[in-house]
Amino acid sequence: MVAIIKGDIIASRKLLDQEKWLQPLKSLFSQWGNTPEQWELVWGDFFQLEINDPKEAIQKALEIKALIKKIEPKEANKQLSTLDVRMSIGIGDKTFSGKRISESNGPAFIYAGEKFEKLKKEKTNIAIQSPWEDFDKEINMYLRLAGKFMDSWSVSSAQLVEIVLKDPKITQEEIGELLDIKQNSVSGRWNRSNIDEVLKIEEVFRQKLQKLIP
């Protein structure tokens, strides 16, 4: 089984400088695999990413969201204060491997595509679809609730989230040194980002999926 993430950058066309998000996203994806076999950016702001270990899917999706949310856009439309990303995660088999990820196929790709088409209607920016309906309902409920604060992450909150996701055992003192801010400022960002809840959702997803995948 694999996980497929399909996503697009919300309101990206309002940006004056596309490179502000494009190059960091490409750099992140390059750490996880090769293009175009395992990831691809198409149509300007749409991407697909294949993850060999489905248990890593939520972790990777959250890292993508934090990366995009921490970017300060120079926008033509002043109503656009921060960027965001819309993502679906499909979990299932891969039955055909193409030279490009867009040519590959299987249930994981179908699930990701089906869920992506429903995101706007469901008014959520991140959701999963898998062979297990009860699993999907539970995890999507957590993701929908978390979206209430994740979609509102400020640039500074997203910076902290990105650091913690990559190293969950990092201390607030160490974060302060990385960001060159005082410990009380780190504590404030920590609370505003609800990072403890984010890490718990990722942990629950990983534990439940471990029981479903042999």
Side-chain angles (χ1 to χ4, degrees), residues 180-193:
D180 194 23
I181 58 176
K182 295 180 179 180
Q183 198 278 330
N184 61 337
S185 296
V186 175
S187 180
R189 292 191 190 190
W190 188 284
N191 293 331
R192 288 191 296 273
S193 69

Side-chain angles (χ1 to χ4, degrees), residues 8-11 15 20-22 24-25 28 47 60-75 79-87 125-126 146-163 165 189 192-193 198:
D8 69 344
I9 310 302
I10 298 172
L15 297 180
K20 286 183 72 72
W21 67 266
L22 189 58
L25 190 61
L28 181 64
F47 61 85
K60 296 287 194 290
L62 292 172
E63 285 190 43
I64 293 168
K65 188 175 183 74
L67 180 143
I68 295 299
K69 294 288 287 182
K70 77 169 188 175
I71 295 170
E72 297 188 47
K74 293 180 180 179
E75 70 283 357
Q79 294 179 345
L80 186 63
S81 57
T82 61
L83 290 176
D84 209 342
V85 58
R86 184 183 296 112
M87 292 175 286
N125 285 335
I126 180 171
K148 299 296 184 181
F149 58 80
M150 292 195 303
D151 292 348
S152 299
W153 278 339
S154 64
V155 170
S156 60
S157 291
Q159 289 173 337
L160 180 139
V161 171
E162 183 182 50
I163 291 170
L165 285 172
R189 292 191 190 190
R192 288 191 296 273
S193 69
V198 172

